[in-house]
């Protein structure tokens, strides 16, 4: 319920009214609290002595109804300005009607005090003419300040630990009830780097707020302002001063650009050291902060500083309660909370999936029994540290007990991803440990892994399934990850293992680029080279592209693989491309998913720049099926690539369904005749006719033509008869490392 909707009998209204009665009970003045329209929401008992009205009888009435017509216009005009202005407003003597209907002369003063809502923001003080007491004004101001500080302190008492930031926001909102304030903020010394102040919370007025914000992080030595605050000094700045003070030019420039009229900053201290600052700003014309503002902000800074210290102490206690004493990892309580949150996100559709690993260190009991429990504890702490360093941000690692650990793999799309992430994490254990000076010790682990897309799966069920799988890994001799799916066979495990190996190869030197030459059949000159990926597998040896490209496509690794091949091929070919008898063009294959990436053209440009390779030497090859996936995206990318000078070719030409259309529509530079047509040249007239037509069309469009898969002299001779002078195949050369090509090329 909004404050405007509350009735006079609303409990909130009653509580606030009682608080005001206490607050103004010792002030010997008649005080009314009105809203911006003039409706009276509260009146002190002294109204009875001054004008004869019972305070309760005027609540709900409009103060303008009691004012003589001679003063009505001026008073109404003033009220329309007070709400936006805030602050102390000196009044004058006017005529008002008393309870007997007689007109009485009274003097009024006004304080615009937003913090008294819902009992109105306009505080009107009435007194007999000549009886205005400055001491009373001061007492009233002090009462308002004390009221504000009590509310500010209670802002932190009313919220639980988890909502502390909400308490900060509330406190700033209360502080912003001061006159002239359009923005209030709290800055704290950075926990990680005490040379910086970080903005912790900000309150901004809905209107008249500064238009330019300060950065969220400022070095304590960066400005005169921050240096003074760090030295324990209060700072008051107004950009309308007669020119900036020496050394304060940057601050005044910022204030001027932000439209800030005035700024007051008060330092906070904790345990005798500078801990931050409370800052108020005003964008209102003529704004000025006085001693009342300073004392109020100073009191607020003390309250907020104490609240921050208490909050930090609570944080440390909670952290200790949620951490394992030996390892510093999360304990079971904290892990269960994290797992419940992950499953809740999955149920809401905010997560791709959840993986859970149960890890048991192999032969840990031997370490404890032979080297003692102290060394065992050291080893557990070292293992935890190693795993924390290797974990990504979405992982939560906890100690279940003994040498058993839990790993939460949040937002994991499938089992393959979860398996790879867990395997990568556990690989961090393979470097020998020296716990407490003992060792070196090589640790391995057995792990059970469960993955789910079902947010209704319980945490208990996941833990049970992970436990079963972990013992299955133990049964295999350890140093293994077992999936909980009973249908998983040996082939699945090998597939997952190969995927892990491929991911590792992409991040290391496990991948190589070989090159197959493209030859001019009329001169036997090497005119081009096609880059072909090779995987130097740790146990299976050198694998051709056809043995792992399907795996890369199925696991979403094809983009990384393609980018890696493009970069490495450009680097390797640069020394001999365009040399006296070296090839003129480097051909690199591109997958359809690469072409759809919005940053693909940038990747190509970066690869060329990294190798120092002119764009004219690079030709990208795509299959017809690739182009059919997203023709519009292909056309856009092709235009961008041609603009920078990169050549474009259709590979395996003739096997698709729109060959002629592609030749006509796309800005191509070359076509490659598929090997299936080349292999039948000697025995099938249809293949010969297709090759002849392709050569004729390509030549008519100004495109280069290369025949793939040439393996016999007969095929070579027929290609020459048909006018195809460029070819590639085992008859001419096999794929070979870059060094082999370089050895034949005269640079």
């Amino acid at each position: 319920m909004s404050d405007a909707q509350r009735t006079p009998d609303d409990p909130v209204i009653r509580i606030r009214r009682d608080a005001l009665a206490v607050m103004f009970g010792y002030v010997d003045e008649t005080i009314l609290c009105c809203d911006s329209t003039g409706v009276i929401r509260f009146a002190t008992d002294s109204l009875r002595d001054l004008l004869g009205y019972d305070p309760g009888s005027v609540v709900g009435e409009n103060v303008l109804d009691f004012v003589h017509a001679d003063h009505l216009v001026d008073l109404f005009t003033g009220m329309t300005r007070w709400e936006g202005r805030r602050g102390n407003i000196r009044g004058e003597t006017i005529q008002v009607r008393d309870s007997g209907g007689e007109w009485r002369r009274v003097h009024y003063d006004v304080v615009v005090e937003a913090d008294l809502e819902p009992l109105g923001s306009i505080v009107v003080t009435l007194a007999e003419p000549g009886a205005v007491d400055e001491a009373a004004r001061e007492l009233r101001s002090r009462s308002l300040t004390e009221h504000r500080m009590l509310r500010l302190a209670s802002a932190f008492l009313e919220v639980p630990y988890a909502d502390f930031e909400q308490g900060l926001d509330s406190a700033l909102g209360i502080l912003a009830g001061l006159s002239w304030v359009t923005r209030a903020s709290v800055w704290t010394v950075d926990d990680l780097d005490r040379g910086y102040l970080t903005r912790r919370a900000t309150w901004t007025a809905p209107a008249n707020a500064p238009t330019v914000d300060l950065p969220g992080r400022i070095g304590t030595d960066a400005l005169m302002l921050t240096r003074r605050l760090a030295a324990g000094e209060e700072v008051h700045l107004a950009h309308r001063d007669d020119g900036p003070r020496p050394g304060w030019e940057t601050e005044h420039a910022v204030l001027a650009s932000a439209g800030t009229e005035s700024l007051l900053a008060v330092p906070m201290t904790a345990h005798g050291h500078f801990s931050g600052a409370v800052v108020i700003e005003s964008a209102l014309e003529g704004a000025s902060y006085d001693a009342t503002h300073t004392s109020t902000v100073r009191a607020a800074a003390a309250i907020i500083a104490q609240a921050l210290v208490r909050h930090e102490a609570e944080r440390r206690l909670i952290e200790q309660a949620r951490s394992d004493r030996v390892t510093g990892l999360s304990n079971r309580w904290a892990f269960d909370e994290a797992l419940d949150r992950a499953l809740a996100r999955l149920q809401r559709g905010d997560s791709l999936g959840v993986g859970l690993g149960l890890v048991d260190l192999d032969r840990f009991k031997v370490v404890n029994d032979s080297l003692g429990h102290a060394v065992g504890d050291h080893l557990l702490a070292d293992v935890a540290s190693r795993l924390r360093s290797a974990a990504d941000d979405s992982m939560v690692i906890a100690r279940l007990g003994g040498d058993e650990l839990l790993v939460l793999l949040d937002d994991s799309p499938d089992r393959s991803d979860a398996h790879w992430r867990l395997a990568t994490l556990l690989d961090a254990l393979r470097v020998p440990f020296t716990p407490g000076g003992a060792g070196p010790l090589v640790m391995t682990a057995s792990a059970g892994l469960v993955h789910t897309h079902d947010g209704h799966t319980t945490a208990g069920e996941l833990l049970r399934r992970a436990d079963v799988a972990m013992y299955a890994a133990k049964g295999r001799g350890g140093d293994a990850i077992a999936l909980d799916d009973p249908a998983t066979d040996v082939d699945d495990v090998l597939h997952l293992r190969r995927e892990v190996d491929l991911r590792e190869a992409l991040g290391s030197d496990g991948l190589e680029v070989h090159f197959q030459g493209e030859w001019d059949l009329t001169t036997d000159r090497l005119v081009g080279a096609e880059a072909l990926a090779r995987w130097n597998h740790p146990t299976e040896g050198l694998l051709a592209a056809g043995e792992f490209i399907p795996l890369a496509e199925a696991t979403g690794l094809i983009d990384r693989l393609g980018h890696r091949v493009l970069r490495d091929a450009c680097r390797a070919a640069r020394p001999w491309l365009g040399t006296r008898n070296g090839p003129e063009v480097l051909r690199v294959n591109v997958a359809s998913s690469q072409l759809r990436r919005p940053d693909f053209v940038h990747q190509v440009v970066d690869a060329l720049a990294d190798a120092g390779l002119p764009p004219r030497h690079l030709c990208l090859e795509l299959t017809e099926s690739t182009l059919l996936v997203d023709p519009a995206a292909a056309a856009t990318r092709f235009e961008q690539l041609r603009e920078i000078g990169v050549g474009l070719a259709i590979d395996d030409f003739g096997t698709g369904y729109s060959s002629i259309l592609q030749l006509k529509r796309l800005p191509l530079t070359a076509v490659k005749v598929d090997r299936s047509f080349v292999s039948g040249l000697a025995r099938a007239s249809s293949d010969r006719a297709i090759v002849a037509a392709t050569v004729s069309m390509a030549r008519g469009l100004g495109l280069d033509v290369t025949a793939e898969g040439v393996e016999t002299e007969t095929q070579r001779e027929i290609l020459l008869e048909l006018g195809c002078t460029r070819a590639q195949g085992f008859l001419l050369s096999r794929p070979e490392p870059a060094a082999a090509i370089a050895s034949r090329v005269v640079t």
Side-chain angles (χ1 to χ4, degrees):
M1 180 186 300
S2 67
D3 291 340
Q5 296 173 314
R6 299 186 187 277
T7 65
D9 293 329
D10 186 278
V12 173
I13 296 291
R14 291 201 309 270
I15 292 171
R16 297 286 178 85
R17 190 185 299 123
D18 292 343
L20 287 181
V22 173
M23 184 172 73
F24 294 125
Y26 56 89
V27 179
D28 191 19
E29 293 180 307
T30 299
I31 296 175
L32 307 177
C33 294
C34 311
D35 64 18
S36 58
T37 66
V39 175
I40 301 171
R41 300 294 186 87
F42 170 82
T44 59
D45 288 339
S46 56
L47 180 64
R48 186 182 291 105
D49 299 328
L50 182 64
L51 297 176
Y53 293 105
D54 180 84
S57 68
V58 300
V59 174
E61 302 290 333
N62 197 299
V63 71
L64 297 176
D65 294 336
F66 298 89
V67 178
H68 193 279
D70 292 346
H71 307 282
L72 198 58
V73 174
D74 290 341
L75 185 61
F76 178 78
T77 303
M79 289 180 63
T80 60
R81 299 194 305 266
W82 297 341
E83 184 70 11
R85 178 180 173 186
R86 298 186 184 173
N88 301 317
I89 301 167
R90 298 288 181 172
E92 59 185 26
T93 300
I94 59 174
Q95 293 187 79
V96 299
R97 186 177 64 248
D98 63 17
S99 62
E102 299 293 328
W103 294 105
R104 297 270 306 277
R105 292 177 61 82
V106 298
H107 184 89
Y108 76 89
D109 284 335
V110 172
V111 176
V112 181
E113 182 67 34
D115 193 39
L116 296 181
E117 296 288 5
L119 293 177
S121 59
I122 300 175
V123 180
V124 182
T125 303
L126 304 177
E128 296 282 358
V132 179
D133 188 350
E134 291 296 330
R137 279 201 182 105
E138 176 64 25
L139 188 60
R140 182 175 68 249
S141 176
R142 193 186 321 140
S143 297
L144 289 169
T145 299
E146 291 173 355
H147 171 71
R148 182 179 292 107
M149 292 303 103
L150 285 171
R151 287 197 62 202
L152 194 146
S154 68
F156 299 106
L157 299 174
E158 295 170 355
V159 297
Y161 169 83
D163 298 328
F164 179 78
E165 303 303 325
Q166 177 185 327
L168 270 182
D169 293 339
S170 299
L172 288 179
I174 294 167
L175 184 62
L178 278 168
S179 59
W180 303 115
V181 177
T182 57
R183 180 163 61 185
S185 54
V186 173
W187 297 74
T188 58
V189 173
D190 197 299
D191 291 336
L192 300 177
D193 189 343
R194 300 194 63 80
Y196 285 87
L197 283 172
T198 302
R199 182 166 50 201
R200 186 73 174 266
T202 301
W203 176 93
T204 304
N208 299 321
T211 56
V212 176
D213 208 357
L214 290 172
R217 195 164 182 259
I218 304 175
T220 53
D221 290 330
L223 301 171
M224 180 69 76
L225 170 66
T226 53
R227 291 196 294 271
R228 291 292 178 83
L229 288 171
E233 300 179 26
E234 298 167 352
V235 178
H236 183 199
L237 290 175
H239 91 267
R240 295 189 181 276
D241 292 345
D242 295 333
R245 285 181 280 168
W248 297 85
E249 291 83 1
T250 301
E251 286 85 344
H252 281 270
V254 171
L255 293 178
S257 64
T260 299
E261 293 282 335
S262 193
L263 176 145
L264 175 63
V266 176
M268 296 188 299
T269 59
H271 308 298
H273 300 285
F274 174 62
S275 63
V278 177
V279 181
I280 59 173
E281 301 169 68
S282 181
L284 300 175
E285 185 177 357
S288 178
Y289 295 139
D290 54 21
T292 299
H293 291 93
T294 303
S295 62
T296 302
V297 177
R298 190 183 296 142
I303 293 172
I304 293 173
Q306 291 176 2
L308 287 167
V309 169
R310 185 170 61 253
H311 180 72
E312 176 61 20
E314 291 175 348
R315 184 194 65 78
R316 287 196 297 268
L317 287 173
I318 292 174
E319 189 176 89
Q320 291 173 5
R322 297 167 61 87
S323 301
D324 176 66
R325 180 184 61 81
V326 175
T327 63
L329 297 172
S330 297
N331 58 19
R332 177 65 183 274
W333 172 40
F335 186 86
D336 286 347
E337 285 187 343
L339 180 56
D340 287 342
R341 288 194 298 270
L343 291 174
R345 285 193 297 273
L346 183 60
Q347 190 172 2
R348 293 194 305 268
D350 297 333
S351 172
L352 298 175
V354 174
L356 174 64
L358 177 58
V359 180
D360 185 272
L361 299 180
D362 297 327
R363 298 176 299 279
F364 180 77
K365 186 175 184 299
V366 175
V367 175
N368 264 344
D369 292 345
S370 59
L371 301 178
H373 289 278
V375 173
D377 285 351
H378 273 295
L379 178 60
L380 287 174
D382 291 346
V383 166
S385 178
R386 193 84 61 82
L387 293 179
R388 273 195 299 267
S389 299
D392 60 49
D393 293 340
S394 64
M395 293 181 181
V396 178
I397 308 173
R399 184 186 181 197
L400 182 61
D403 61 340
E404 287 188 334
L405 308 174
L406 290 167
V407 181
L408 173 62
L409 305 159
D410 197 9
D411 204 28
S412 177
D414 50 42
R415 291 192 310 163
S416 176
D417 172 81
H419 186 281
W420 174 75
R421 290 165 67 187
L422 184 59
T424 302
L425 181 69
L426 297 183
D427 280 346
L429 304 180
R430 299 187 182 279
V431 178
F433 292 87
T434 55
L441 302 175
V442 177
M443 297 300 300
T444 59
S446 304
L449 175 64
V450 59
H451 185 275
T452 183
H453 294 101
D454 183 7
H456 297 285
T457 303
T458 66
E461 175 65 11
L462 290 177
L463 285 167
R464 185 192 65 78
R465 289 161 55 187
D467 188 59
V468 172
M470 187 271 289
Y471 278 102
K474 284 285 190 184
R476 300 175 187 176
D479 193 17
I481 299 174
L483 301 174
D484 78 300
D485 187 355
T488 299
D489 56 21
V490 175
D491 290 338
D492 292 329
V493 175
L494 291 175
H495 179 84
L496 288 171
R497 184 68 255 175
R498 179 170 277 198
E499 181 189 345
V500 172
D501 292 341
L502 181 57
R503 290 181 183 272
E504 291 177 348
L506 285 170
S508 65
D509 297 329
L511 288 178
E512 302 176 8
V513 179
H514 287 199
F515 299 87
Q516 186 174 23
E518 178 183 334
W519 299 82
D520 186 324
L521 299 180
T522 63
T523 64
D524 288 331
R525 182 176 179 272
L526 181 65
V527 293
E530 180 180 0
L532 301 169
R534 294 292 184 264
W535 180 11
N536 195 4
H537 194 276
T539 59
E540 301 179 46
L542 193 67
L543 303 179
E547 298 181 76
F548 61 89
I549 291 296
L551 174 64
E553 291 175 336
T555 56
L557 296 174
I558 190 65
D559 287 2
R560 287 180 59 190
L561 176 61
H563 187 200
R564 170 75 179 271
V565 171
L566 173 64
R567 184 197 66 191
D568 291 355
C570 289
R571 288 177 177 174
R574 178 64 184 92
W576 37 261
L577 273 175
T579 57
R580 184 168 58 176
N581 63 341
E584 286 294 323
V585 62
L586 168 66
R587 301 188 183 276
V588 179
N589 294 280
V590 176
S592 59
S593 59
Q594 288 179 268
L595 196 64
R596 291 195 299 272
R597 291 181 61 93
D599 62 343
F600 176 65
V601 176
H602 293 292
Q603 288 184 357
V604 174
V605 172
D606 290 343
L608 291 170
D610 176 66
L613 185 67
R616 68 178 184 276
H617 288 306
L618 176 63
C619 181
L620 302 179
E621 297 187 357
L622 299 100
T623 63
E624 288 183 75
S625 59
T626 294
L627 300 178
L628 291 173
V629 173
D630 192 347
T636 301
R637 298 286 186 273
F638 273 34
E639 292 290 347
Q640 295 169 334
L641 291 165
R642 288 299 299 138
E643 286 179 3
I644 63 176
V646 173
L648 302 164
I650 292 184
D651 196 8
D652 303 332
F653 185 77
T655 59
Y657 300 98
S658 57
S659 303
I660 298 175
L661 179 61
Q662 304 291 8
L663 290 178
K664 183 179 179 180
R665 181 171 61 96
L666 297 173
L668 300 170
T669 58
V671 295
K672 298 183 77 172
V673 181
D674 187 67
R675 65 183 62 246
S676 63
F677 301 112
V678 174
S679 64
L681 285 176
R683 61 181 184 274
S685 59
S686 59
D687 287 345
R688 184 178 298 196
I690 291 173
V691 173
T694 300
V695 172
S696 177
M697 286 188 298
R699 289 285 173 79
L701 295 172
L703 306 178
D704 293 329
V705 184
T706 300
E708 296 181 303
V710 180
E711 297 182 353
T712 68
E713 284 291 346
T714 301
Q715 293 168 353
R716 173 187 174 125
E717 292 171 0
I718 295 174
L719 287 171
L720 283 170
E721 291 176 10
L722 298 176
C724 182
T725 60
R726 300 168 74 110
Q728 182 179 355
F730 286 177
L731 175 69
L732 306 168
S733 63
R734 292 177 176 272
E736 55 190 350
I741 295 180
S743 66
R744 295 197 303 267
V745 172
V746 178
T747 59

